[in-house]
Amino acid sequence: MTTAALLESLSSRLPRESLFADAESLDARSADATEDLRARPELVVRPRSEAEVVALLAAAREMKFAVTPQGALTGLSGGALAVNGGVALDLTAMNEILEIDRENLFATVQAGCVTETLQNSVEAVGLFYPPDPSSRGSCTIGGNVAENAGGPRAAKYGTTGRYVSGLRVVLPGGKVLPLGGKNRKDVAGYDLLSLFVGSEGTLGVVTRATLRLLPLPSERRLLWASFGREEQALAAVARLYAAGPEPSACEFMERKAAEVSAAQLALALPADADAHLFVEVDGHEATAIAADAERIGQMLLDAGALDVRVAMNDREIRDFWRLRRAVGEAVKRLGPYAEEDCAVPRTRLPELLRAVREVARRRGLTAVCYGHAADGNIHVNVVQPPGERERWLAERDAAVAEIFRAVVALGGTITGEHGVGLTQRAYLTLRHPPEVIAAMRAVKQIFDPEGVLNPGKIF
Amino acid sequence: MTTAALLESLSSRLPRESLFADAESLDARSADATEDLRARPELVVRPRSEAEVVALLAAAREMKFAVTPQGALTGLSGGALAVNGGVALDLTAMNEILEIDRENLFATVQAGCVTETLQNSVEAVGLFYPPDPSSRGSCTIGGNVAENAGGPRAAKYGTTGRYVSGLRVVLPGGKVLPLGGKNRKDVAGYDLLSLFVGSEGTLGVVTRATLRLLPLPSERRLLWASFGREEQALAAVARLYAAGPEPSACEFMERKAAEVSAAQLALALPADADAHLFVEVDGHEATAIAADAERIGQMLLDAGALDVRVAMNDREIRDFWRLRRAVGEAVKRLGPYAEEDCAVPRTRLPELLRAVREVARRRGLTAVCYGHAADGNIHVNVVQPPGERERWLAERDAAVAEIFRAVVALGGTITGEHGVGLTQRAYLTLRHPPEVIAAMRAVKQIFDPEGVLNPGKIF
C-alpha cells in the first residue's frame, strides 16, 4: 500500500496526530545501528496508547499491510527495519514508567521507556534493573524484550528475559494477550511469556512490561587486567567463573580493539599488552567485595596478567569502562565493517579467535574482536583494510559465512544478543536443523498467519 | 487399544524387555503423589535409549494411542497419570549423568536422572545445581523440566527453567528437536527451549537435558524465627527481600502446620508461636555470610520475632529443615485433603491466608498453610475435619474454587510449581482469559496435532 492509501485507511481509525507521512519522519525511521542498511516505511505511526496499537494491528490484518515495530532503532541486526515498506510502528512515545513496586520489587513500564531511565529511577529508590545493553542510554525496554538484550552484567545477572515477569502483547488482528504478572513462580499452562521474549517483533507487539527488580548492590570494584598473551586472558575467564562468586561482568578486548578505542579516547595503554580483561564484582557487603576483588586480582596475576588495576569508586569505575564502552564506535570508524555477534561455550573462546583470524588472514581482511567473554559472546568485526574496497566486496560475505561455520562447529550460535533480524537470516540454517526451524515457523503461523508483522525477518 | 493389541504392535518396534504388561508393573505406574488419584495404563514402556522413545512416539502417532511420560511419579497435580490408558512411558531407566563439564559449568543428564543424584555428583566437584523440589531424593530431572519444579531455593536461584540450557525432545511422530546447548546466550530464533519447560509432558518427551551449574557456595546459615503473630512473620518476608542480599530461602509455616510436623517428629516448639519463618543465607565468603545472618536475625527480631535460632553447620541446618521438610507428609496424615499450590505477589500473602481461612471457616473445613513465602507460593491444604466425611465431600470442591478465585483476585496464580496437570484443569480459565488459553491450545496443536501425548492434561 502507498503512503496515501495507508494514510487514508488509517485516518478513520487512529488519531491524525499519531500518523506521520512527511519525508523527514519516514527518513528518521529508515535506519538502525546495523552497518549501512536502510529501509523506508510508507508511513510512521507513533501511538500514545495501547488502544491505538490495537486499532493499527486490527487494520493491518484486515488490509494486509506490513507493520514493523520499532523502538529507539539501536538494533544491530536490522530487525526493526521496514524492509517490506508498510507502517513503521514507533513505540517511543509510549515511554512511561507506570509503577515501581518497592515492596514486591517490580517495575511496570510502557514499551518505549528508555532502559537507562528505568535503571536510574529504580536506583533512586535502592533497587536495581541489571540488563545493561551498551545502547542503554537510548534503547527501549520494548526493544530489549524483543531482542532479549544482554550486556556485560548478563555474566552474573542473565539477560532481559530473566527479568520479564509480565507482558501485554497485541497480536496481528488486535487481540491483546495479558501474560504473567507479579508472581515469582507461575506454571499455569505454557510459558508464552518466554516465547515473546527474543521474538524480534515478529509474533506480537509488546506494549507494557512488568520487570523483576533486585536490591541495589551497594559495593562495586572493577579490575582491569592486561595480558602479554591473549590465551592467558581467555584461560583466566573460565578459571574465574569456576571458582565463584561470579564476577558481575568479565569483558574481553583484543589488542587491536583496545588500541582503536584508546586512540579515540587519547588514553595510554600498558606497553606489551596483547589483550585486556575488565572484571567487575558487586555485592552488598563492603568487606566481602574487597576480599573478592583481592582474590580475583591475585587470580588474574597468577594467570599471567602483566598488570591489574583496581577501580574503587564510581568515578574510577566509569573511567575504566570508557575504554570498553568506546570500542564499538571506534571500530566502526576503521572503515566498512560487518559485526557478527558470535557466542560459543566459554572454554572454546581461544579456538573461536584463532578461527576468526585464520579466515581474515586468508581472505585479506581485518578482524577486530571484543565482548562478553564470561558468556562466550564475542563481537567479531570484519573490517575492510584501508583502500581495499574491491577485496572487501568480494570476500566479506564468504568470510562471515566461514566464521559462522566455525562458530557452529565449536558448539556455538550465530547470535548471542543482537538477534537474527535481517542480517543473520541466511545463517539460521547453520544453527538449527530443519525440524527446529519448522517448529519456529509453525509458532509464527499461530500468531501471525498472514505475515503482516515485521515481515522478512528471522527466517 | 488393549494391552494385547499394544503389546503386539510394539513388539516388532521395541525390544521385548522394554515392554511391561504384567499387573504389578501396570499398578506401579498408576498413581503419583496427588491425593488418592489412580489411572492404570494398558502397557508400560521403559526405554533404555532415545531411539526407543522415537520408535514409541512414531508408533503412537501412526496408531493413535495415548502416551503418558512418567518420571518418578512424585507429581502433585496428576500430570503423569495415564488417564486415557494407553502407554505409560517410564523414563526412569534412562538415568545416566552423561557429562559434568567443570570448565564450562554444565551437566548433561538423561531425563530419568534423579535430581539429588545430580546434586551430589556436582557438589563432589565443587559445583552446585540449585533447584531443590522436596521430592529431590526420588524425582527426576525430566519431571523437573516438565513441571518447571521449584523448591525453597527458588527464592534466590529461580526454578528449574533458569538452569535448562539444552534439551533433546522427541515429538509425537518421532522427530527429535535438539534445542539449545552450552551457550550462555543464544537468540537465534524463538525460545522453544522455554516452551518445553513446564509443558507437563504434553508437547514432547525430553530425553536429555544440559543444565547450567554454579560454583558451590561454601557458606550457609539457617535462621529459624518464631512469631507471636502471623502477620509479623509475613511482613518480615517482604522487608527481608527488599533489603538485599537475597536470602537463598525463606519458608513459612503457620501454627498448625508446625504443630503437626513437630508432633510427627516429637519436637518441641516455642510456646506462643503462631507462625515460623526459616530463612537461609548462602555465599562464598564466611565473614559476609556471618554478617548477613547477623543482619537478618536482627531484622527478624525488629519485625517482632519472639525468638531467632541460628544453625551454623550442615548438621544443625539439616535438623532445622526437618520441621519444614516433614510438614507435607504430616499434613496428609490429618485425613482426606486437597493440596492447592497457590501463588500471589509476595505482599499479598496476608490477604491470601485471611481468604483461605474465611473459606475454610464458612464451609466447616480445616486449612493448613505453609510454603515458599519468598516467592509468594503457599501450599494450601484443605483437610477433612475428623469424622466429617459428608461435609468434606459436599464442600471440598466449592472451597477450592473459592480459594482460587480469591488468589486470582489478588493477582495470583493457580499453581506456582506443581503444574496444572489433571487436578487444576478446571481452574485454568480463572487464571487466563480465553485468548491466552487459545494461544496455548494452538501451541499444543503444532507439536501434537493428534493429541496422543499426555491427553487430558492442562486444558
Side-chain angles (χ1 to χ4, degrees), chain B residues 444-457:
Chain B
K444 168 77 174 173
Q445 270 306 110
I446 294 177
F447 296 102
D448 184 22
E450 283 90 3
V452 296
L453 196 58
N454 205 4
K457 306 301 165 55

Side-chain angles (χ1 to χ4, degrees), chain B residues 93-115:
Chain B
M94 291 174 63
N95 61 0
E96 276 182 63
I97 297 176
L98 301 170
E99 186 196 28
I100 296 173
D101 178 345
R102 295 169 67 172
E103 287 188 283
N104 282 302
L105 282 73
F106 287 102
T108 299
V109 303
Q110 289 184 310
C113 177
V114 170
T115 307

